[in-house]
Amino acid sequence: MLEISNLEVVYSEVILSLRGLSLTVPDGEIVALLGSNGAGKTTTARSVTGLLGNHNGEVTKGSISYNGTEIHELDPSKMVQMGISQVMEGRRCFGELTVDENLATGAFTNKDKANVKHQYDKVMELFPRLQERRKQLAGYMSGGEQQMIAIGRALMADPKFLILDEPSLGLAPLLVQQVRDVIRDLNKEGMSILLIEQNAMMALSIANTGYIMESGKVVMDGDAKRLLADDDVKEFYLGLHSGEDGERKSFKDVKHYKRKKKWA
Amino acid sequence: MAFGRPLLRTSYEEDAAILPTAFQKAGVGFLILSLCLMALDAPIFGAIPRYFLGNTWLVPVGITLCFAIGALGINILVGVTGQVSLGHAFFMGTGAYTAVMLGGNLGDQESWKACVPFHDNLGLLERQGECGLGLPIWIWLPAAGLVAALIGIIVSPAAVKVRGLYLAIVTVGLVFIGLHLGRMLPEWAGDFESGRRWPKLDIRLWKEETPLIEMSEDGKWFGLINLTEEQKQFFFLLAIVIVMTLLAKNLVRSRTGRALQAIRDRDVAAEVMGVPEFKYKRLGFAISSFYAGIAGALFASFTGRVSPIDFGLLLSVDFIAILLIGGAGTIAGTLLGTVFVELLPNVVERLTEWLADQISTGGVTGTIADFLLTTGAAGDFGPISIAPTAPGWPMSVFFWNLVIYGVLIVVFLIFEPLGLFGIWIKFRNYWKGWPFSY
Amino acid sequence: MPALDSVVIASGLSTFVQTLTKSIALGCIYAMLGLSFVLIFKGTQVLNFAAGAISMAGALFMSIMIADAGWPFLPWSNPFAPDGGRASIPLWILHLMFALILAALMGMIIERLAIRPMVGQPLFAMAVVTLGLEIAIRPFNLDASAGQARSIGVPWGNGTWTADWLDGAVIPKSYLAAIIAASIAFAAVYFFYRSRFGVAMRAVAFDQEAAMAQGINVGRVFSVAWALGAALAVLAAIFFAMTPWPPNGAVSLEIHPIWVFRVLPVIILGGLDSVVGAVYGGLIIASFEIFAGQYLSQWTSILGPGYSTIVPYLAMLGVLLVKPYGLFGTAEIRRV
Ligand SMILES: Nc1ncnc2c1ncn2[C@@H]1O[C@H](COP(=O)(O)OP(=O)(O)O)[C@@H](O)[C@H]1O
Ligand SMILES: [Mg+2]
């Protein structure tokens, strides 16, 4: 179980990006973390996996614990060894490496040869497309294939807990479906998942719980089904107008609305 | 200027002024005045440099002044335009050799013949390194800058095309090509190892016997004041440094300067903004080479005798170190860096001499000195050797100076990337806000 | 600087064969040094200007162990040292291994002290740190060599090998040794690149943060890159300190402190980040240098003594005008 409580993160000693974020991912569940651009979702992911240092960021308050261990000061390789893997925003495949080599980097901390083989077969089973392109350079592959590599790479470490940062970003609807199904399958096998998304529909449709964040803190949370039905959520994250005819509001109106929106 | 808020600038003129505050005006004035007083060996003032640099301090300081000009140039290229060049030594050499060919070997009908390359067939081999037309300084000094600028423009297409580290490497190539030219053309450069003599800094109208302004002998200046050769040269060089600094400062705040800065900050974006990249990069090269040329000519002339080896890669590195240690992009930082880099070895040497004197006095300092120094006596130890000839460990002060210099470059980059200037800003801001920390 | 022209000229064919072998041998040495640059650059994004001082220090380690029968920095004597400074081949190789291990350690220490704190700084700042290192290490080299050319006790000395079937071409054994050493080094780098750690290193080179997210220990990658880079530089320096190479087959003050800069054209040609490029670049640049040195030598009085040593720079300028990122390099290295 991952518990983030009252987390405050500052970049470059001045930019306050998270201000008192609290969030829990129970074992075996999918938790969706939603929010618009700049809300602090990626920052949350970085704090968990120890990558803040790379961006001159720092946890100034609060705590992050995983199965009871305090983890916010551990380095990234420790996190991977503890079973937390991350699929980074924007895929970040190693373009000059082949598909197989990309997967091998994911297995860097996995010392169990048999397990590596097993994970590799599993990735190939999940993404048969990669099977055919094993020797190709990742840099030349399509966005969807790169997302598969990124997910597969994270799986190679045999994680118990997976963080996915906007996996649907820039993918065609059909691929979004496929990614969603993969996440659901992984969860069925017992993996806990923190799914960061802007695509609220996709995320909430498979999540158990959802958190919505804004300007560095959680402004709403609850059961995914309930959030999906909530009018405000519909309006701001699904772009649906809750009113008379359910038609899409113009962007300008949403913006206008946004300014006065206030959740407890 | 608004009252009560000393740094509130209420007009662009104020913001762009050369010395924005009255405090700065007074500070610079005082600095120049005290430099002059030091050179004139006025009471108290004269003792300061003597204490830190020894009695012959005007020599290293003269060289420092020459380097300051070169440093202003590299600052325009690296600090302002953001083009990293390790080829500054090459342009300094260009200036120096232009100077010697135009100004060298006063008054000899035949002297041009010695300038013809590969002239062994002219039977002039014995005149190696004597090429020179004997022209006066008002010709050879500007020409040194202009020729260097011209060469800068000629090589700039290659330099503009490549970026970043590739540019640094290409300019290293330039230095080695320059060294080889020095080896190829002993007619111009003299012997590769021992070099040749340079024209003096005397100011003449034409080739007349007695110069208008005497610069190379002790004696009365303008029939007024008795000065040594070094003092005269010091004042001359100081004047040139002041003029070149004003020019550089003016450049930075002009339209051209802003265009150059735009290129540094992002060259593609600058181009989008309508700053023609190629034109301004070339201009940056030309200006910086001009400064380098002037600096090279003055340096060679002040030193009296240099060889092509003096314009090697280490000289270029000196300038990069000056920028880093001083703080790239600012003129004050550049000058500060020059003083630090060029004079520190002398200070270390003085310190060693002082330590050597302490050994015999005993006490705490004597013991420390004994630990640090090896005098050459049997059984003595210590990392610094002051024995007259001692190859191998312990090392001489000269070597230790190099080590300190290298380590300083590393340490500044790691701990204070803004250089001395950054330290000064921090210090100033601290006191400005004192006692409030923010 | 003396020209590289110590081979005996016999006939057209043998001259050609000799020149060719010499080019390949020098090319292999340049390529080893080029590889050192590329490994360090790929691994840590640092253009290592300190390679000259590092390589000379490593060669001096070898000399201290063999010629002085001691250990670098340590007061004890070296029990493995050969009598009279001339080792048998296995013993010499043993010392070569010692020197390479020491070089690797030196690389790791340098990385830890001066490079690691600079992570994330602009490329140029990191390159200048290495210039500072070069300046700081060089005096120790000059001091340790005490102003003299130092022998590294080459087992085959200045031995040569005559190929009668090639018109009596005379080929110094040192050339063959350099070619063999380089081949082994290239093979080792090739296999390293495909190993688990090598893949991790390339991943770090491509995207440091993404590599960290995979649990790759970037610090260790940096360390290994510098260890390998330093060892390769020293390997190159040692095979360049053998008899036919100027000035007289030893670790020399005239050559070793600056020879690294002659390799800059190699990595420019090959591209800062291309392993294959370093090898091709080395071979191409060396053949320019050696063939120009051999076949233009009647013009020496005009071209100046040692003109062949600047041929690489001219070649470099030519290449860059046509291809600004070298023949094999990627254009992305613009984060200055
Ligand atoms: N490396 C960084 N340095 C400074 N500020 C950053 C950095 N990364 C993100 N931020 C700031 O932190 C806030 C949250 O960013 P982020 O976590 O990336 O948002 P999200 O992933 O929800 O779009 C933003 O305001 C952003 O400007
Ligand atoms: Mg994000």
Side-chain angles (χ1 to χ4, degrees), chain A residues 2 20 32 45 59 65 69 83 97 116 129 131 135 168 192 198 200 207 221 230 232 241 253 264:
Chain A
L2 180 82
V59 173
S65 74
T69 335
L97 270 58
V116 171
R129 278 268 272 286
Q131 177 83 44
K135 301 284 171 214
S168 72
S192 318
Q198 289 202 48
D221 68 279
D230 187 283
D232 284 335
H241 186 34
D253 292 339

Side-chain angles (χ1 to χ4, degrees), chain C residues 127-214:
Chain C
V128 175
V129 162
T130 62
L131 271 177
L133 289 170
E134 165 83 22
I135 293 173
I137 300 172
R138 197 185 277 186
F140 291 99
N141 287 339
L142 299 183
D143 183 78
S145 56
Q148 275 154 5
R150 305 253 337 192
S151 154
I152 52 162
V154 183
W156 48 89
N158 52 8
T160 54
W161 176 70
T162 311
D164 290 327
W165 49 280
L166 283 172
D167 227 356
V170 178
I171 291 163
K173 289 183 178 163
S174 300
Y175 291 176
L176 297 176
I179 295 171
I180 293 169
S183 311
I184 294 172
F186 302 154
V189 170
Y190 180 88
F191 286 113
F192 170 74
Y193 251 53
R194 267 141 199 80
S195 71
R196 188 178 90 100
F197 205 87
V199 169
M201 189 156 140
R202 283 151 64 206
V204 170
F206 190 83
D207 184 338
Q208 196 165 307
E209 191 187 14
M212 284 169 88
Q214 310 314 315

